[in-house]
Amino acid sequence: MTGTWLVTGAGGMLGREVSARLAALEGAAVTALTRRDLDIADPCAARAAVRRHLPHVVVNCAAWTAVDDAESQEAAAARVNGEGPGHLAAACAETGARLLHLSTDYVFSGDRRRPRAEDDSPGPRTAYGRTKLAGERAVLAALPHTGYVVRTAWLYGEGGPNFVRTMIRLGWAGERVDVVDDQWGQPTWTADLADLLVRLGLAAVCGRAPAGVYHGSSGGETTWYGLACEVFRLLGADPGRVRPTGSGALARPAARPAYSVLAHEGWRAVGLEPIRGWRPALAAAFPGLLAAERR
């Protein structure tokens, strides 16, 4: 059974990818709503959208993603990241829909040098992380049996601005670039995450995946510097033009986690393969990323 799907935040980088994957899924009926179509922070609008389309699965890709701006606008970020998922969850509770809600590695402090398990205690250090954790808790409280939180990290793809595309432009420009080498994480291709979300949704509808928290990030780990060097290498540019630097040299309003690597045991427990390693994923993504930059 492929069922009926509703994607919120469908105009964003991940939302576009999820919508495209679902459109290609035989037998699936898909409604993709952009931020202009639906403000999930409006409880009446969220309820009306779910009741109108009666989806088997809702994939919530809508979010406030401006990490630094959230430090000075936490209430506005909380409206989208914290209250919005709660409104969707309440609507799904009324109709019986499963809700797949996207969250982030920022719910952890980033000060422990080991991959964080799905059941590790969160401890966000930024306004963005606090608002995303509020959204997680709202979903799991309203939907203890049909709510799924999927944390991801370091997203890149063809459908929007991101670090990898920026490095491609800088590589083409022949510039030297300073990149932090003391923040560790998992570069994650939106296409890989979208595929995983579809598989999770199908497993949820069939009763093969229990509700709860899952980690949707690539395997392995690297620093932003390591990622930039790999982009330059794939581009045929000299990785020596990428110079390592410390986080202190690039001070920002929101502190970045020093180590935000996520563990993936939750997938194996339900018979689903987690996302592949970040290097082969980046190599597979690269032709499309180059084409997107040339357009």
Side-chain angles (χ1 to χ4, degrees):
M1 177 182 175
T2 51
T4 302
W5 299 66
L6 174 65
V7 181
T8 62
M13 186 169 64
L14 178 61
R16 293 181 189 180
E17 203 75 62
V18 172
S19 300
R21 289 295 184 279
L22 288 171
L25 184 64
E26 185 176 356
V30 186
T31 299
L33 301 179
T34 67
R35 180 169 54 185
R36 180 176 297 180
D37 300 321
L38 172 63
D39 175 8
I40 66 167
D42 180 336
C44 294
R47 184 172 186 265
V50 174
R51 292 182 67 84
R52 181 183 311 118
H53 300 288
L54 292 177
H56 294 100
V57 182
V58 176
V59 185
N60 180 36
C61 299
W64 174 297
T65 57
V67 174
D68 288 325
D69 290 347
E71 290 298 308
S72 59
Q73 303 176 62
E74 186 166 354
R79 181 177 177 272
V80 179
N81 291 345
E83 297 171 22
H87 300 325
L88 285 174
C92 288
E94 292 180 359
T95 64
R98 282 79 171 170
L99 174 59
L100 276 56
H101 170 64
L102 272 297
S103 191
T104 174
D105 57 319
Y106 275 75
V107 300
F108 294 114
S109 64
D111 61 355
R112 299 179 67 177
R113 186 73 184 195
R114 65 167 178 80
R116 302 308 299 260
E118 292 87 345
D119 60 355
D120 279 354
S121 297
R125 292 185 169 179
T126 64
Y128 172 70
R130 289 190 293 272
T131 64
K132 292 298 288 183
L133 180 58
E136 287 189 10
R137 288 174 170 167
V139 168
L140 296 175
L143 299 171
H145 304 296
T146 54
Y148 299 77
V149 169
V150 181
R151 296 175 181 142
T152 191
W154 292 27
L155 283 183
Y156 67 89
E158 299 174 27
N162 56 78
F163 179 85
V164 173
R165 289 185 60 173
T166 298
M167 290 302 108
I168 289 173
R169 291 194 298 273
L170 293 173
W172 277 339
E175 298 181 18
R176 289 186 175 273
V177 57
D178 295 330
V179 182
V180 295
D181 197 28
D182 56 2
Q183 295 172 19
W184 291 81
Q186 297 157 307
T188 304
W189 185 21
T190 51
D192 278 348
L193 179 55
D195 286 338
L196 189 60
L197 289 169
V198 171
R199 286 190 282 133
L200 176 60
L202 292 172
V205 169
C206 295
R208 291 187 287 107
V213 177
Y214 295 82
H215 285 167
S217 56
S218 290
E221 60 184 62
T222 188
T223 65
W224 290 110
Y225 167 75
L227 175 57
C229 288
E230 186 67 7
V231 171
F232 272 54
R233 187 188 69 79
L234 291 170
L235 198 60
D238 179 12
R241 287 168 33 210
V242 183
R243 298 173 298 198
T245 189
S247 298
L250 301 172
R252 293 177 173 179
R256 268 50 178 178
Y259 190 81
S260 60
V261 177
L262 303 174
H264 307 116
E265 293 307 311
W267 301 110
R268 297 185 179 92
V270 298
L272 294 174
E273 281 296 314
I275 296 175
R276 58 185 154 176
W278 72 269
R279 287 182 187 274
L282 180 62
F286 218 69
L289 295 167
L290 293 179
E293 281 301 311
R294 290 189 177 109
R295 286 198 284 268

